[in-house]
Amino acid sequence: MLQLNTRLANLWLARKFSFGTDVRRRIWLKLAKLLENGVPIRTAIQRMRSRRARMKGDSDALVLAFDDWLTQINNGRRFSDAIRKWVDHEELCCSHQASSPATWKKHCIRR
């Protein structure tokens, strides 16, 4: 039970203090590249999560975000719904409207 409470507290803190625009931009670029190469979104997020966890550990904010996204996607939610608590409104609207990885990369990722 303590482990679950610690995990929930870490998740809350990760959302509260989230990651900046530069970090999110790198995530979107990596994700777009994987999707362009035909990697399914669930697999792409799992790969990104595994690599980040190896580098930073399981309690890293980005690892917690990936875990949350995967849980929601596995429960049938759309990606745009899964990231809702983690990104700003512009990114959320864009991810919801993008029809392909190329469109998403062109219009949704800030330069």
Side-chain angles (χ1 to χ4, degrees):
M1 185 69 167
L2 181 59
Q3 187 178 20
L4 177 61
N5 288 337
T6 302
R7 185 87 173 151
L8 290 174
N10 286 342
L11 183 60
W12 181 84
L13 285 170
R15 284 184 185 157
K16 185 76 173 166
F17 298 106
S18 212
F19 23 88
T21 305
D22 290 342
V23 172
R24 288 195 313 269
R25 183 176 181 276
R26 284 195 314 268
I27 293 167
W28 303 149
L29 287 170
K30 288 176 187 176
L31 188 56
K33 188 65 165 175
L34 288 167
L35 295 174
E36 284 175 345
N37 289 328
V39 177
I41 193 160
R42 181 180 294 125
T43 304
I45 296 170
Q46 287 169 337
R47 286 181 187 175
M48 292 167 46
R49 186 245 180 253
S50 294
R51 181 176 175 169
R52 183 71 179 204
R54 278 194 311 272
M55 293 179 351
K56 301 287 186 173
D58 286 334
S59 61
D60 177 70
L62 197 47
V63 173
L64 295 172
F66 290 145
D67 285 343
D68 188 49
W69 300 351
L70 287 167
T71 297
Q72 292 190 53
I73 290 169
N74 288 336
N75 287 331
R77 292 201 173 89
R78 295 170 51 153
F79 178 68
S80 59
D81 294 330
I83 65 172
R84 182 176 305 277
K85 299 172 192 169
W86 296 92
V87 300
D88 65 25
H89 183 70
E90 281 182 21
E91 289 168 308
L92 183 62
C93 290
C94 195
S95 72
H96 192 65
Q97 295 171 357
S99 58
S100 72
T103 304
W104 188 38
K105 193 172 179 181
K106 181 177 180 184
H107 298 291
C108 299
I109 299 173
R110 297 180 190 149
R111 303 262 184 244

